[in-house]
Amino acid sequence: MEKRVSKDMTIAEIISIDNGVIPILLQAGMHCVGCPASQAETLEEAGFVHGQDIDILINKINEYLENK
């Protein structure tokens, strides 16, 4: 089964798919990977707070997952 992320997934859900996405999130300025908000905050919400283009970030994460 191919794993993909979407903007409505929480940061915690995304990390649980593959810890290798953590550096991608950190590079995007999303240092929330270990904070309590990551349990309930969606990728879209975190992207908005951190001023990220969520579509670009989703593409980077999914590209990483596809090429593992």
Side-chain angles (χ1 to χ4, degrees):
M1 181 177 132
E2 183 178 318
K3 296 182 180 176
R4 294 186 58 78
V5 301
S6 61
K7 64 183 177 182
D8 61 338
M9 294 174 74
T10 65
I11 302 297
E13 287 174 321
I14 293 167
I15 292 170
S16 74
I17 290 172
D18 189 314
N19 286 340
V21 302
I22 292 174
I24 298 169
L25 295 170
L26 292 174
Q27 184 179 21
M30 300 174 121
H31 298 250
C32 52
V33 294
C35 82
S38 71
Q39 298 301 311
E41 189 172 53
T42 66
L43 186 59
E44 183 174 39
E45 292 165 339
F48 177 77
V49 169
H50 294 284
Q52 294 295 312
D53 182 321
I54 199 62
D55 293 322
I56 291 173
L57 185 57
I58 289 171
N59 286 339
K60 284 182 183 178
I61 294 170
N62 283 328
E63 184 176 313
Y64 161 79
L65 292 172
E66 290 168 10
N67 292 310
K68 276 194 64 163

